[in-house]
Amino acid sequence: MMGGVSDVVTVDGPAASGKSSVATRLAEHLGIPFVSSGLLYRAAAWLTRDDVDPSDPAAVLARLAEHDVALRASPGDNRVLIDGDDVTDALHSDAVDAGVSTVAAHPEVRAWANARLREIEGPFVVDGRDMGRDVFPDARAKLFLTARPEVRAARRVGERAADLAAVADAIRRRDAGDVRQTGPAEDAVTIDTSDLDLDAVVARALAVVQDA
Ligand code: DC
């Protein structure tokens, strides 16, 4: 911390806007770890997937309280340990995608995730929905990435085997579920990534950080 400005860089935006690729590359350039805040919400969705009503915040929170959830960030990698077991590979399934917005919408669950994030020692680049606006208001630089919905769907199809219409539909549903917690800070720089390749977005993001 120097002069009230933290050593955190925030990268926010909707699903498949390019946040995690950009944040990962930005962190590499800066030589600092990357932190994926969405993994904590994914861990909450995974822990409650079978036998907890995801729309009941007290029940979700009770389940979270029964487990030790740790997000370990190292340059190039994020792992989630639940009671010491590495569950990271289970967190990017369609089932978790489908349920995560519901658990993430509860203020109580957001407070739980935000407390975990604020425990992580800087410097780091963090990606999410509301990192610059709500969680790290004193961040040194704040980026907000957007992209047209059809571009986001096409990117996601590249990552998971599925058809474009179904993916576009799932993204629209997740946007609707995430709408309240997704938004730029007043002092964020917004980059529309629709017509830019990854190198170009990273170059712009790096320029924003270096100017900050
Ligand atoms: O970034 P991601 O796709 O891994 O995020 C998974 C979900 O978690 C997403 O649907 C919204 C939620 N999320 C959130 O509400 N706030 C964050 N800071 C990060 C993710």
Side-chain angles (χ1 to χ4, degrees), residues 37-38 41-42 100-101 104 110 128-131 174 178 181:
S37 64
Y41 294 101
R42 289 177 179 277
V100 65
S101 291
R110 304 196 71 74
R129 298 296 192 285
D130 57 349
M131 295 297 104
R174 204 131 73 88
D178 292 343
Q181 51 264 22

Side-chain angles (χ1 to χ4, degrees), residues 12-16 19-20 36-42 91-92 96-97 100-102 104-105 110 114 117 127-131 135 156 174-175 177-178 181-182:
D12 290 305
K19 304 181 297 290
S20 70
S36 164
S37 64
L39 284 176
L40 288 167
Y41 294 101
R42 289 177 179 277
L91 300 182
H92 282 98
V96 169
D97 278 4
V100 65
S101 291
T102 308
R110 304 196 71 74
N114 295 345
L117 292 167
D127 92 341
R129 298 296 192 285
D130 57 349
M131 295 297 104
V135 187
R156 196 38 67 83
R174 204 131 73 88
D175 280 355
D178 292 343
Q181 51 264 22
T182 305

